[in-house]
């Protein structure tokens, strides 16, 4: 069995899992199952990216989305008491909108695949295999920190502003809020809290 | 050029070599975990002036050495009780999810100058992503159990892990700056020299941050609020019994060994020996880099985990969060700035 067939077989295997996972995200009754299906989707998408030798993107997808974003998602979803009946109320009313959106996306993907096929790019084969000592991570870093250094920094600043804004918007100052002063707690000494009194066990005669 | 001399299996085809190494490493790790549980009980026993396990023998010798194996057999025989109202499928899946990252991470760890399963260039990122996935086993277990105690444990652990991952990642950014590579083999090679060229010397604050975060990531004492016996019984694994519990246990100890190995690789020169280049030592064990040195370093670092457990009282939960966000992360940020200055003046790792 050649490596190409193996890679193709793996691609279809991961692809199947990915599609099933995506169906699980929208089909699962329990939101926690939906979130876990999304995690499965991210992991299999990362595996597919590994097949086309985009190891940096694959690892970062797992690191950022699976490792951080989805943990917080799960965190919230598990604590929410979601009323499923209420969520499903508008289903038939908005079903047509969902169908149209889905059709548009399918049409776009089909268009790209068709265009690549007619323009002579074999979409199923993927990019040309790279040399064994080629490092995807190194190349990306080289481009990001030289040619695109300023756009990268700008994007980072934008994210920072978004973080600060999100925190500033959600921070509430309640009146009469009791807070702990940790420095005072750490600085406390036994003599501040405790006074040892010497006294006789019983009155002297 | 990177070496690819998997010595014992070097005549085999590449995939067979990789499989053989993966099997060998996994089995060795499981044995190590078994022995580590015994070592932990012995060490803590000695620290508390007790004897520790000293009854079960192997072949009538070595009192206590048979204890971990006896425990494993006991746990295998016990019934795995699945609570009636729990989410049965996820309940059974969770221990396995907890276990996988602890073992998969070993793929990129350079064991000796010639042995590493994968020389991925994004090795460091791979490790970060795997350690961040370790939390899923705990969250899923806590939620699937459908019990308040387990759920509290899971929530605590999730928040704690997300917080300490950031400090850990920043500490590794410092390592990255000092070595200029994300390939773990290259990181070890760039520390060649003696103990003072290893990263711990110039990155000492980052070593502290990394190891403390590592202890917190593995949910070990003094950061073990996810289990917190005195408050929430046993946290996320309160309803687990038999082999399902054993798998969580295995994952925790495998993670301890993993964090120790990573600390050794990032800050203590991995397989580099401390006496390399001294005249007269040549290619003897003392003079040559080898797996033995890595083993020695990992052993010392794992011992620290046990020592902490026997020494420190448990942190209060809000203080854990405070330490992570307000102490460890600022330290890493400051030290990354210091490294920038060191690099500018060509000091330490940047002198050549």
């Amino acid at each position: 069995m050649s490596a190409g067939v193996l890679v193709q077989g793996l691609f279809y295997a991961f692809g199947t899992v990915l599609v099933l996972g995506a169906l699980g995200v929208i089909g699962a009754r329990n939101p926690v199952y939906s979130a876990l299906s999304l995690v499965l989707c991210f992991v299999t998408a990362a595996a597919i990216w590994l097949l086309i030798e985009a190891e940096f993107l694959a690892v970062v997808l797992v690191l950022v989305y699976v490792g951080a974003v989805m943990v917080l998602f799960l965190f919230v979803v598990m604590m929410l008491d979601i009323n499923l009946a209420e969520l499903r109320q508008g289903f038939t009313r908005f079903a047509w909108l969902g169908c149209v959106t889905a059709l548009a996306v399918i049409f776009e993907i089909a268009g790209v695949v068709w265009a690549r096929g007619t323009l002579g790019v074999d979409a199923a084969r993927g990019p040309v295999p790279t040399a064994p000592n080629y490092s995807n991570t190194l190349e990306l870093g080289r481009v990001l920190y030289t040619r695109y250094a300023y756009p990268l920094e700008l994007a980072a600043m934008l994210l920072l502003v978004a973080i600060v804004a999100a925190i500033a918007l959600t921070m509430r100052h309640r009146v009469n809020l009791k807070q702990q002063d940790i420095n005072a707690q750490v600085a406390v000494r036994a003599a501040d809290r405790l006074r040892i009194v010497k006294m006789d066990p019983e009155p002297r005669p | 050029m990177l070496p690819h001399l998997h010595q014992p299996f070097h005549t085999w085809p590449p995939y067979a070599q990789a499989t053989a190494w993966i099997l060998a490493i996994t089995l060795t790790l499981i044995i190590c975990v078994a022995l580590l549980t015994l070592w932990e009980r012995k060490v803590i026993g000695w620290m508390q002036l007790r004897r520790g396990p000293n009854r079960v023998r192997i072949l009538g010798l070595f009192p206590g050495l048979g204890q971990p194996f006896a425990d494993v057999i006991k746990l295998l025989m016990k019934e795995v009780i699945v609570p009636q109202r729990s989410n049965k499928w996820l309940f059974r899946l969770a221990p396995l999810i907890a276990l996988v990252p602890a073992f998969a991470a070993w793929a990129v760890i350079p064991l000796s100058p010639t042995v590493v399963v994968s020389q991925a260039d994004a090795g460091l990122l791979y490790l970060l992503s795997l350690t961040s996935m370790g939390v899923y086993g705990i969250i899923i277990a806590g939620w699937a159990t459908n019990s308040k105690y387990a759920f509290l444990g899971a929530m605590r652990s999730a928040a704690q892990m997300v917080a300490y991952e950031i400090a850990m990642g920043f500490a590794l950014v410092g390592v990255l700056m000092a070595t200029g590579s994300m390939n773990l083999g290259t990181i070890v090679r760039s520390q060649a020299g003696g103990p003072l060229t290893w990263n711990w010397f110039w990155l000492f604050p980052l070593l502290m941050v990394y190891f403390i975060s590592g202890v917190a990531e593995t949910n070990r004492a003094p950061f073990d609020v996810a289990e917190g016996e005195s408050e929430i019984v046993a946290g996320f694994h309160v309803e687990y019994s038999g082999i399902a519990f054993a798998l969580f246990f295995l994952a925790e100890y495998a993670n301890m060994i993993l964090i120790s190995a990573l600390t050794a690789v990032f800050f203590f020169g991995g397989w580099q020996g401390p006496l390399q280049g001294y005249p007269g030592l040549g290619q003897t064990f003392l003079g040559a880099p080898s797996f033995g040195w890595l083993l020695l370093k990992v052993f010392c670092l794992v011992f620290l985990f046990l020592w902490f457990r026997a020494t420190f009282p448990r942190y209060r939960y809000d203080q854990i969060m405070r330490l992570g966000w307000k102490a460890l992360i600022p330290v890493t940020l400051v030290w990354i700035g210091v490294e920038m200055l060191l690099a500018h003046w060509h000091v330490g790792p940047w002198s050549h």
Side-chain angles (χ1 to χ4, degrees):
Chain A
M1 189 166 65
S2 71
V5 178
L6 184 69
V7 169
Q8 212 161 35
L10 281 175
F11 171 78
Y12 284 115
F14 287 135
T16 316
V17 176
L18 181 59
V19 171
L20 289 178
L23 285 175
V25 175
I26 52 172
R29 279 180 170 276
N30 192 326
V32 173
Y33 276 131
S34 293
L36 287 175
S37 305
L38 194 55
V39 172
L40 181 66
C41 284
F42 283 139
V43 174
T44 36
I48 290 176
W49 284 358
L50 274 181
L51 289 183
I52 56 169
E53 299 181 9
E55 83 247 6
F56 180 77
L57 284 178
V59 170
V60 167
L61 179 75
V62 174
L63 177 62
V64 175
Y65 283 92
V66 177
V69 175
M70 289 314 292
V71 173
L72 296 178
F73 246 75
L74 269 179
F75 195 98
V76 173
V77 166
M78 282 174 177
M79 285 203 284
L80 287 181
D81 186 22
I82 297 174
N83 187 349
L84 287 177
E86 208 172 282
L87 270 182
R88 277 160 198 280
Q89 255 175 3
F91 183 73
T92 41
R93 205 146 54 85
F94 295 112
W96 65 272
L97 192 64
C99 287
V100 169
T101 318
L103 278 177
V105 172
I106 290 172
F107 187 73
E108 280 172 12
I109 294 173
V112 171
V113 172
W114 175 78
R116 288 182 65 150
T118 50
L119 292 175
V121 185
D122 185 0
R125 189 172 51 85
V128 198
T130 47
N133 57 357
Y134 168 85
S135 165
N136 178 271
T137 316
L138 192 71
E139 292 301 319
L140 260 174
R142 200 168 274 158
V143 176
L144 276 182
Y145 287 99
T146 53
R147 191 195 283 179
Y148 298 109
Y150 290 119
L152 185 76
E153 295 295 318
L154 272 178
M157 281 309 292
L158 205 64
L159 283 174
L160 185 65
V161 171
I163 293 173
V164 173
I167 293 173
L169 282 175
T170 50
M171 195 143 81
R172 284 173 297 170
H173 291 282
R174 277 191 292 160
V175 285
N176 298 333
L177 185 66
K178 283 183 185 166
Q179 276 185 323
Q180 300 186 12
D181 184 354
I182 308 261
N183 291 328
Q185 287 180 354
V186 172
V188 85
R189 291 283 163 269
D192 305 341
R193 296 277 170 86
L194 192 72
R195 191 165 56 94
I196 294 179
V197 184
K198 288 263 182 238
M199 60 189 295
D200 299 321
E202 53 190 49
R204 275 164 207 270
Chain B
M1 191 55 214
L2 300 161
H4 43 85
L5 311 163
H6 299 314
Q7 280 164 341
F9 314 111
H10 66 104
T11 50
W12 299 11
Y15 61 87
Q17 272 183 28
T19 315
W21 274 110
I22 290 168
L23 278 179
I25 290 173
T26 312
L27 288 179
T28 317
L29 258 183
I30 292 175
I31 301 292
C32 283
V33 166
L35 294 176
L36 178 58
T37 57
L38 173 69
W39 180 235
E40 173 174 40
R41 292 171 64 183
K42 275 286 190 193
V43 165
I44 295 182
W46 290 329
M47 286 181 179
Q48 298 169 344
L49 301 181
R50 294 183 283 112
R51 283 180 188 279
N54 61 355
R55 296 286 147 168
V56 189
R57 291 157 188 257
I58 287 184
L59 304 174
L61 301 163
F62 312 117
L65 195 61
Q67 186 68 47
F69 305 100
D71 286 341
V72 166
I73 293 168
K74 180 198 75 175
L75 284 168
L76 274 171
M77 304 289 230
K78 281 174 87 170
E79 183 188 356
V80 178
I81 299 164
V82 181
Q84 182 110 51
R85 299 287 298 276
S86 69
N87 195 317
K88 306 216 168 35
W89 195 68
L90 288 181
F91 186 84
R92 291 193 177 95
L93 191 68
L96 300 176
I97 295 178
L99 197 60
V100 169
F103 284 98
W106 284 87
V108 293
I109 294 181
L111 295 174
S112 85
T114 50
V115 174
V116 54
V117 177
S118 159
Q119 300 168 359
D121 255 338
L124 199 146
L125 281 175
Y126 169 82
L127 278 174
L128 273 177
S129 62
L130 275 182
T131 44
S132 64
M133 278 174 77
V135 67
Y136 276 97
I138 294 177
I139 304 190
I140 292 175
W143 183 76
T145 304
N146 199 6
S147 142
K148 286 188 179 66
Y149 291 122
F151 190 63
L152 275 174
M155 289 291 109
R156 284 176 174 196
S157 148
Q160 179 184 329
M161 281 202 171
V162 169
Y164 278 85
E165 244 156 48
I166 298 169
M168 216 172 190
F170 274 135
L172 292 186
V173 168
V175 175
L176 205 72
M177 284 172 71
T179 53
S181 175
M182 293 210 272
N183 185 312
L184 269 69
T186 317
I187 289 177
V188 172
R189 260 182 288 277
S190 76
Q191 300 178 51
L196 288 185
T197 62
W198 298 346
N199 280 335
W200 70 269
F201 185 70
W202 292 99
L203 308 180
F204 190 73
L206 297 184
L207 163 67
M208 286 292 145
V209 169
Y210 186 81
F211 200 65
I212 294 172
S213 314
V215 177
E217 285 274 296
T218 46
N219 283 320
R220 291 282 301 180
F223 302 102
D224 57 347
V225 290
E227 295 180 32
E229 303 90 336
S230 51
E231 315 148 32
I232 48 173
V233 197
F236 61 94
H237 61 64
V238 63
E239 295 288 355
Y240 281 87
S241 58
I243 197 66
F245 167 74
L247 288 180
F248 275 123
F249 206 71
L250 187 60
E252 180 181 328
Y253 281 77
N255 270 322
M256 265 164 67
I257 302 178
L258 175 68
I259 294 287
S260 305
L262 290 180
T263 314
V265 164
F266 291 138
F267 296 97
F268 291 101
W271 37 254
Q272 308 269 15
L275 300 173
Q276 261 160 250
Y278 279 66
L281 292 174
Q283 287 303 304
T284 58
F285 172 74
L286 285 175
S290 70
F291 174 65
W293 288 114
L294 180 68
L295 197 67
L296 196 67
K297 291 166 186 172
V298 171
F299 181 78
C300 293
L301 289 164
V302 164
F303 177 76
L304 289 180
F305 274 87
L306 313 183
W307 194 1
F308 292 160
R309 182 169 170 197
T311 310
F312 294 124
R314 186 178 294 140
Y315 259 91
R316 212 170 64 195
Y317 188 70
D318 63 315
Q319 288 176 338
I320 288 185
M321 281 303 170
R322 187 184 139 83
L323 178 73
W325 290 103
K326 292 189 179 172
L328 297 185
I329 293 176
V331 166
T332 54
L333 290 178
V334 166
W335 204 255
I336 286 172
V338 172
E339 274 188 63
M340 250 150 48
L341 294 179
L342 291 178
H344 183 71
W345 291 323
H346 299 285
V347 190
W350 297 275
S351 55
H352 41 77

